[in-house]
């Protein structure tokens, strides 16, 4: 009788064992980024009437500030997630934090609604980078038995944002 071929050895590396304190440090480093991006989405909505007054613009014109941010985040989440899978979640997350912060700083110095819209697109790009990589970073830091707790904490941060 012919023997079935032996299965090839698995080449994947086993999950790293990360000390408990470090796992929660990873969580504590990622959670504020997620929180701030969600808080920014909501906070700008509250400021629309003031922004319209400041720039002497109509509410429909100023609503493009909110739409630009949300459309950018929504359009880029999946492509950025794929790129992060290829080159590394940490790199994309850190680049996203930098882009988000720079976009927010520049938005604060905007001289027109159009400038503010463009800087919110920049900030939305950073937010998409943060949001697309936050959960994968957290789940990779925790072993399978503890992922439920980590994901629950992540969802709690989402709810607070």
């Amino acid at each position: 009788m012919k023997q079935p071929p032996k299965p090839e050895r698995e080449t994947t590396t086993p999950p790293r064992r990360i000390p408990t304190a470090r796992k929660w440090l990873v969580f504590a480093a990622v959670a504020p980024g997620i929180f701030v991006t969600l808080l920014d989405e909501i906070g700008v909505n509250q400021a629309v009437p003031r922004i319209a007054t400041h720039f002497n613009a109509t509410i429909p014109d100023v609503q493009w500030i909110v739409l630009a941010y949300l459309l950018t985040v929504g359009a880029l989440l999946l492509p950025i997630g794929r790129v992060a899978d290829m080159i590394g979640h940490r790199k994309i997350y850190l680049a996203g934090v930098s882009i988000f912060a720079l976009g927010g700083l520049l938005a604060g110095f905007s001289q027109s609604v159009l400038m503010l819209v463009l800087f919110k697109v920049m900030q939305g790009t950073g937010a998409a980078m943060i949001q697309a990589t936050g959960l994968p970073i957290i789940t990779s830091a925790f072993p399978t038995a503890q992922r439920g707790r980590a994901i629950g904490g992540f969802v709690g941060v989402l709810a607070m944002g």
Side-chain angles (χ1 to χ4, degrees):
M1 267 171 99
K2 196 173 189 182
Q3 294 286 330
K6 291 183 181 178
E8 293 183 27
R9 288 179 41 165
E10 201 171 311
T11 58
T12 59
T13 57
R16 296 180 294 149
R17 293 206 181 266
I18 299 175
T20 302
R22 182 150 186 266
K23 292 177 227 175
W24 290 107
L25 283 174
V26 169
F27 184 89
V30 172
I34 300 295
F35 178 78
V36 171
T37 61
L38 294 171
L39 188 65
D40 190 59
E41 288 177 18
I42 304 302
V44 174
N45 280 322
Q46 303 301 315
V48 164
R50 252 195 189 166
I51 294 169
T53 303
H54 178 77
F55 288 118
N56 197 21
T58 64
I59 296 292
D61 289 341
V62 174
Q63 285 176 335
W64 276 104
I65 298 164
V66 176
L67 287 173
Y69 183 86
L70 293 175
L71 288 172
T72 303
V73 171
L76 294 179
L77 271 175
L78 289 176
I80 287 174
R82 178 67 180 130
V83 169
D85 287 342
M86 292 187 294
I87 66 172
H89 295 104
R90 184 172 180 242
K91 289 179 185 177
I92 298 295
Y93 182 86
L94 293 174
V97 168
S98 299
I99 292 168
F100 183 83
L102 182 61
L105 180 67
L106 294 172
F109 291 108
S110 295
Q111 299 298 312
S112 68
V113 172
L114 179 59
M115 282 178 71
L116 189 51
V117 167
L118 294 174
F119 291 136
K120 290 305 281 184
V121 168
M122 179 182 183
Q123 200 173 21
T125 302
M129 294 168 84
I130 292 168
Q131 291 177 12
T133 57
L135 188 58
I137 290 171
I138 289 172
T139 56
S140 69
F142 286 83
T144 306
Q146 295 177 347
R147 280 193 192 137
R149 181 175 291 157
I151 292 170
F154 180 80
V155 171
V157 170
L158 292 177
M160 286 188 297

